[in-house]
């Protein structure tokens, strides 16, 4: 028997509601597999998405990200027996599926392999694919875990093969569950083991709301997103996060040397996603209208130094506005106010989410132009006021001399 349910992801609202609204990017999958006696034999909860590069009918290449799994089934998932090991089998969409296989040794069990199958004949996902059919990518993993331990990997794991990039994060899994009870002993993946040292976060005792200790200017990082062989998004920026939770304010500088970037480019939107050992995701979503682009949405989910998860989302922003075909640049410090509890300070910013040519930035619109545009009407108004005063003075002086001439006559 298979039991499953869809879980909400912080910052994305309730998944079932978002499915109706078409607003889901990714959500947690959860499987509680039970045996004939209704005892849990396999438990898993995880998030995943896939990026596929394919050839179009125009002999060009496109990249599509598959993250909204829609209606999910788990047909074929098994607890395992003497001949076959446990298996998680997931089906989503027409011709899309994912399988994870497990094996057992004397004192350990292994996540042996995963396979992902996708259907280029699905015209919704691959409307212009040259070759139609179901393709499968297999990956050998051999991740060994002590028996009766729950495997955890919150960090982003990436597998890349045959034009397919698989992303996994927030993974919890235990095969060969003993006595029907999922273990409380956790076995961490290597990435999580190396991420136990959190970034320096300045905090003070809340009374009633603390003020964070000022932090040095963050180092600027360069990030990019590719669409096939071409770069479709460029971003250079130093990022400083200002977070308030439970009346405690924190300042966190993002280290670009330990930060990874992924994303996607579509006809009217572009996504830059940053993640690290403590940042599950920091999304910058750009939109465009007829002739301009702007930052429309920011989503974040990250671990704080106290172990809690901080998540915020805002899809109604309007920052970094510039004409299409150009880049937006601002060397001075700027603040993106996502919510009352979360702001991002940017330094040495330059971004171009659309119309990138030959992997290089186009001519930049500098944020200082906004200041100049604000000062121009003030300067013009002041000049006109000065001219008006001079005219009035000249008029009154002339009028006074005119009256003096009448009195002498």
């Amino acid at each position: 028997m298979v039991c499953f349910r869809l879980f909400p992801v912080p910052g994305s609202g309730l998944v079932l509601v978002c499915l109706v609204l078409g607003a889901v990017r990714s959500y947690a999958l959860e499987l509680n597999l039970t045996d004939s006696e209704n005892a849990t034999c396999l438990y898993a909860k995880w998030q995943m998405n896939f990026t596929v590069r394919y050839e179009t009918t125009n002999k060009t290449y496109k990249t599509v990200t598959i993250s909204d799994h829609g209606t999910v089934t788990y047909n074929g998932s098994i607890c395992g027996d003497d001949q076959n090991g446990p298996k998680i089998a997931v089906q989503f969409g027409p011709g899309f599926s994912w399988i994870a296989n497990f094996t057992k040794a004397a004192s350990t069990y292994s996540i042996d392999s995963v396979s992902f199958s996708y259907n280029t004949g699905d015209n919704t996902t691959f409307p212009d694919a040259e070759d139609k059919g179901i393709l499968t990518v297999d990956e050998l993993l051999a991740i060994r875990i002590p028996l009766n331990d729950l495997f955890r990997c919150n960090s982003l794991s990436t597998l890349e093969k045959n034009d397919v990039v698989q992303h996994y994060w927030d993974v919890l899994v235990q095969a060969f569950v003993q006595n029907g009870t999922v273990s409380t002993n956790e076995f961490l993946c290597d990435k999580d083991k190396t991420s136990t040292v959190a970034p320096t976060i300045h905090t003070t005792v809340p009374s009633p709301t603390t003020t964070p200790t000022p932090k040095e200017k963050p180092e600027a990082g360069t990030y990019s997103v590719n669409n096939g062989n071409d770069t479709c998004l460029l971003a250079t920026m130093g990022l400083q996060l200002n977070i308030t939770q439970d009346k405690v304010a924190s300042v966190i500088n993002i280290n670009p040397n330990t930060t990874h970037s992924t994303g996607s480019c579509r006809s009217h939107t572009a996504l830059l996603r940053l993640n690290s050992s403590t940042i599950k995701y920091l999304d910058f979503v750009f939109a465009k209208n007829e002739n301009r682009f702007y930052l429309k949405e920011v989503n974040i989910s990250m671990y704080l130094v106290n172990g809690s998860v901080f998540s915020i989302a805002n899809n109604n922003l309007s920052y970094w506005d510039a004409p299409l075909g150009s880049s937006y640049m601002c060397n001075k410090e700027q603040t993106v106010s996502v919510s009352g509890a979360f702001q991002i300070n940017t330094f040495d910013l330059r971004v171009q989410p659309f119309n990138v040519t030959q992997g290089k930035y186009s001519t930049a619109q500098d944020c200082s132009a906004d200041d100049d545009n604000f000062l121009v009407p003030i300067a013009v108004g002041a000049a006109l006021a000065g001219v008006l005063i001079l005219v009035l003075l000249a008029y009154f002086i002339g009028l006074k001399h005119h009256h003096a001439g009448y009195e002498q006559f």
Side-chain angles (χ1 to χ4, degrees), residues 180-343:
T181 303
V182 177
S183 177
T184 57
N185 297 323
E186 293 187 349
F187 181 82
L188 301 181
C189 64
D190 290 339
K191 283 188 175 181
D192 280 14
K193 289 177 183 177
T194 59
S195 66
T196 54
V197 179
T200 303
I201 302 177
H202 296 270
T203 60
T204 54
V205 179
S207 177
T209 300
T210 66
T211 301
T213 303
K215 225 173 171 21
E216 66 276 6
K217 178 181 175 181
E219 179 183 351
T222 298
Y223 312 99
S224 63
V225 176
N226 291 335
N227 189 357
N229 291 327
D230 299 323
T231 300
C232 58
L233 183 152
L234 288 171
T236 303
M237 50 190 171
L239 297 173
Q240 187 177 80
L241 311 182
N242 292 272
I243 296 172
T244 302
Q245 188 175 54
D246 298 328
K247 297 183 179 180
V248 176
S250 306
V251 178
I252 305 169
N253 283 352
I254 290 183
N255 181 359
N257 300 315
T258 58
T259 302
H260 306 283
S261 64
T262 57
S264 61
C265 298
R266 299 182 181 275
S267 57
H268 290 88
T269 60
L271 165 68
L272 173 64
R273 166 169 286 186
L274 305 181
N275 62 77
S276 66
S277 59
T278 54
I279 299 175
K280 297 163 69 175
Y281 58 81
L282 172 56
D283 290 349
F284 297 90
V285 181
F286 299 87
K288 68 179 182 179
N289 50 34
E290 292 182 358
N291 53 15
R292 301 187 72 85
F293 72 82
Y294 60 98
L295 177 66
K296 183 181 187 297
E297 182 176 347
V298 170
N299 308 308
I300 188 172
S301 182
M302 68 176 295
Y303 298 99
L304 299 183
V305 70
N306 61 5
S308 64
V309 176
F310 177 82
S311 300
I312 289 288
N314 189 336
N315 63 358
N316 193 30
L317 302 175
S318 184
Y319 291 95
W320 307 347
D321 178 273
L324 286 172
S326 68
S327 59
Y328 178 85
M329 183 171 69
C330 194
N331 290 323
K332 66 182 183 180
E333 180 180 353
Q334 277 193 318
T335 299
V336 175
S337 182
V338 181
S339 72
F342 179 52
Q343 299 83 38

Side-chain angles (χ1 to χ4, degrees), residues 48-54 62-67 69 92 96 116 118 125-126 137 158-169 225-228 232 261-266 271 273:
M48 63 182 180
N49 65 29
F50 310 92
T51 301
V52 179
R53 179 176 178 263
Y54 67 97
K62 287 186 177 180
T63 300
V64 62
T65 298
I66 302 166
S67 56
H69 307 308
F92 51 96
F96 295 85
F116 168 59
Y118 59 98
T125 308
F126 304 96
V137 176
T158 302
L159 303 174
E160 187 169 357
K161 184 179 180 181
N162 297 348
D163 293 329
V164 175
V165 180
Q166 306 178 51
H167 295 117
Y168 302 94
W169 68 100
V225 176
N226 291 335
N227 189 357
C232 58
S261 64
T262 57
S264 61
C265 298
R266 299 182 181 275
L271 165 68
R273 166 169 286 186

